[in-house]
């Protein structure tokens, strides 16, 4: 049991609660080849993809690739442990990372940074993860650069001489590292676990996903707006391909969303829906930085409920329009009785006060109040019927109230549609 747990423990670790931490010393047996030909490392973020013919073939590996037996066999929501800050150290590339790079004798910078973070963990105000991402001198992310999320800042060229000062000033005191000047990061940052020496599944799936992301970024002219990099082990390799996306959402807040079981075919959807439109892909969603496991599961349930509500509203509006314009024939051909039977249970669930409150809060989080307001304003004064509910709603934010009224308006729409249908029978 202990050995299995050790295998699954992330290199991008949540700082452990115990006061001691030890890792076996592992020497990179590929270090010499890296030093002999440093340009063999592919560039970080904006450079050419990592995919080779051998890696493309490996992606079809029946044991470790996207067709492996355990692929998409487990639920994903709530599989991210709670943390509040993610620190990435840019350092070399996945081909030369040893299994435990934080403990590798010759990889001094990550080893010393890991040790300093662990030593000062009890003094940090934020639960912090440390991960290695690709670094290569002369690119967007040089060796020694440090990226911090959700702060969206970069510090250039950290050396092993600066580690203790950096950890104290930036991670403990939440200040600035005086020898360096923090640079603001713009756009979205995508990290794909590609740590093959740690877990074969990540080594097989990760490079293929990085290559596909780079192809899509170029195809959609997103260079300079979306950046992608391979990263070291982030835990739960059974969910490979594992992807983390950092970036601002509609209200400007920076979030970090984790996805699992990602395939190359999912990459266009992640770019179009999550990064461009700000929509979560729930079938692949593992969790979110800043939320506990229970909060992640509840957050997803709220999103799914709200999506159901929107679908119900759209279907009801279409049904009413059809009945009003075409009469009973349209209602019957569209299965009027079936429509109301199918939506009866859903509607009752929507009218539950707890569900209304959950959906209202989710609507406020996603800043969807403008859509809700427009629906209410087009509801021919339906919202006036609910002015007597102001006492009940006094404790809510304005966005919460709008979303709650939208739920009630949906119920009114269904009732109107049903009355039209009955009259036309």
């Amino acid at each position: 049991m202990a050995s299995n747990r050790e295998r699954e423990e992330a290199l991008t670790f949540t700082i452990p609660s115990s006061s001691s931490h030890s890792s076996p010393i592992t020497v990179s047996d590929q270090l010499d080849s890296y030093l002999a030909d440093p340009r063999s490392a592919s560039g970080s973020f904006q450079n050419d993809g990592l995919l080779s013919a051998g890696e493309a073939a490996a992606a079809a590996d029946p044991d470790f690739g996207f067709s492996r037996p355990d692929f998409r066999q487990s639920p994903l929501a709530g599989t991210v442990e709670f943390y509040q800050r993610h620190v990435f150290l840019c350092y070399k590339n996945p081909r030369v990372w040893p299994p435990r790079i934080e403990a590798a004798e010759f990889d001094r910078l990550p080893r010393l940074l890991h040790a300093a973070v662990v030593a000062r963990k009890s003094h940090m105000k934020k639960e912090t993860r440390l991960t290695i991402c690709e670094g290569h001198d002369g690119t967007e992310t040089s060796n020694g650069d440090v990226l911090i999320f959700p702060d969206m800042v970069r510090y250039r060229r950290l050396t092993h001489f600066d580690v203790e000062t950096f950890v104290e000033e930036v991670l403990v005191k939440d200040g600035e590292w005086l020898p360096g000047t923090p640079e603001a990061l713009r756009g979205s940052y995508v990290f794909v676990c590609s740590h093959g020496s740690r877990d074969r599944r990540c080594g097989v799936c990760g490079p293929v996903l990085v290559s596909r992301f780079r192809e899509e970024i170029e195809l959609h002219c997103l260079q300079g707006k979306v950046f992608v990099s391979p990263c070291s082990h982030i835990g739960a390799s059974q969910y490979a391909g594992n992807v983390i996306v950092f970036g601002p959402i509609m209200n400007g807040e920076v979030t970090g969303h984790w996805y699992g079981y990602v395939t190359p075919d999912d990459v266009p959807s992640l770019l179009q829906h999550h990064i461009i439109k700000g929509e979560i892909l729930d079938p692949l969603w593992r969790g979110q930085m800043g939320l506990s496991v229970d909060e992640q599961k509840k957050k997803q349930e709220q999103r799914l409920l709200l999506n159901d509500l929107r679908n119900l509203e759209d279907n009801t509006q279409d049904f009413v329009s059809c009945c009003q314009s075409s009469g009973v024939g349209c209602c019957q051909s569209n299965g009027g009785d079936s429509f109301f039977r199918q939506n009866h249970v859903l509607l009752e669930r929507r009218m539950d006060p707890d569900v209304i409150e959950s959906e209202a809060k989710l609507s406020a989080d996603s800043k969807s109040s403008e859509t809700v307001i427009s629906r209410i304003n087009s509801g021919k004064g339906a919202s006036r019927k609910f002015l007597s509910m102001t006492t009940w709603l006094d404790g809510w934010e304005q966005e919460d109230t709008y979303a709650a009224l939208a739920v009630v308006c949906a119920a009114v729409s269904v009732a109107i549609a049903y009355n039209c249908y009955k009259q036309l029978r």
Side-chain angles (χ1 to χ4, degrees), residues 331-409:
C331 294
Q332 291 176 340
S333 64
N334 283 279
D337 286 333
S338 175
F339 172 82
F340 290 107
R341 283 197 301 269
Q342 291 173 1
N343 289 285
H344 176 70
V345 175
L346 180 62
L347 180 60
E348 284 189 341
R349 192 178 181 193
R350 290 296 173 275
M351 296 308 297
D352 184 289
D354 292 335
V355 173
I356 292 175
E357 183 176 1
S358 295
E359 290 172 344
K361 290 181 178 179
L362 179 63
S363 177
D365 289 343
S366 61
K367 294 297 179 182
S368 61
S369 57
E370 292 181 3
T371 302
V372 175
I373 293 171
S374 66
R375 288 177 181 171
I376 292 176
N377 288 339
S378 63
K380 300 181 178 180
S383 61
R384 297 190 195 99
K385 298 179 181 180
F386 308 110
L387 293 178
S388 61
M389 300 170 65
T390 54
T391 303
W392 177 52
L393 298 172
D394 277 345
W396 286 17
E397 298 293 339
Q398 187 177 20
E399 292 88 349
D400 299 340
T401 304
Y402 288 141
L405 291 177
V407 176
V408 181
C409 286

Side-chain angles (χ1 to χ4, degrees), residues 215-263:
E215 291 172 2
E216 292 295 321
I217 289 170
E218 183 175 358
L219 178 64
H220 296 286
C221 301
L222 295 173
Q223 298 95 325
K225 299 177 181 178
V226 181
F227 307 89
V228 62
S229 173
C231 71
S232 61
H233 188 58
I234 58 175
S237 297
Q238 66 269 28
Y239 304 129
N242 281 306
V243 174
I244 311 176
V245 183
F246 293 97
I249 55 177
M250 294 179 66
N251 64 359
E253 178 188 0
V254 176
T255 59
H257 290 272
W258 292 50
Y259 289 97
Y261 291 142
V262 179
T263 70

Side-chain angles (χ1 to χ4, degrees), residues 142-288:
S142 299
N143 282 305
D145 288 359
V146 179
L147 314 178
I148 304 177
F149 302 93
D151 306 63
M152 293 291 285
V153 297
R154 176 201 349 252
Y155 285 93
R156 294 283 189 182
R157 303 303 301 228
L158 181 72
T159 70
H160 62 277
F161 298 108
D162 307 313
V163 163
E164 291 188 1
T165 303
F166 176 83
V167 169
E168 185 68 24
E169 296 299 326
V170 178
L171 303 184
V172 174
K173 296 181 179 179
D174 293 326
E176 294 185 1
W177 179 46
L178 296 181
T181 303
E183 302 174 8
L185 298 175
R186 307 293 182 189
S188 297
Y189 284 75
V190 179
F191 297 93
V192 182
C193 183
S194 306
H195 199 168
S197 64
R198 182 66 177 268
D199 191 285
R200 178 73 180 275
R201 291 166 292 191
C202 298
V204 168
C205 299
V208 183
L209 293 174
V210 171
S211 180
R212 183 61 188 272
F213 267 111
R214 288 173 175 164
E215 291 172 2
E216 292 295 321
I217 289 170
E218 183 175 358
L219 178 64
H220 296 286
C221 301
L222 295 173
Q223 298 95 325
K225 299 177 181 178
V226 181
F227 307 89
V228 62
S229 173
C231 71
S232 61
H233 188 58
I234 58 175
S237 297
Q238 66 269 28
Y239 304 129
N242 281 306
V243 174
I244 311 176
V245 183
F246 293 97
I249 55 177
M250 294 179 66
N251 64 359
E253 178 188 0
V254 176
T255 59
H257 290 272
W258 292 50
Y259 289 97
Y261 291 142
V262 179
T263 70
D265 290 339
D266 298 318
V267 169
S269 293
L270 280 172
L271 283 174
Q272 291 294 327
H273 292 277
H274 182 110
I275 294 176
I276 296 177
K277 298 180 180 179
E279 300 171 352
I280 304 300
L281 273 68
D282 279 298
L284 304 176
W285 190 74
R286 289 187 54 191
Q288 179 180 338

Side-chain angles (χ1 to χ4, degrees), residues 14-15 79-85 126-129 288-293 295-296:
T14 300
I15 304 307
T79 58
V80 178
E81 293 185 6
F82 173 77
Y83 76 111
Q84 299 162 294
R85 176 171 56 194
K126 300 176 182 177
E127 198 74 24
T128 301
R129 282 181 178 262
Q288 179 180 338
M289 176 177 63
L291 298 182
S292 68
V293 169
E295 288 171 336
Q296 292 166 26

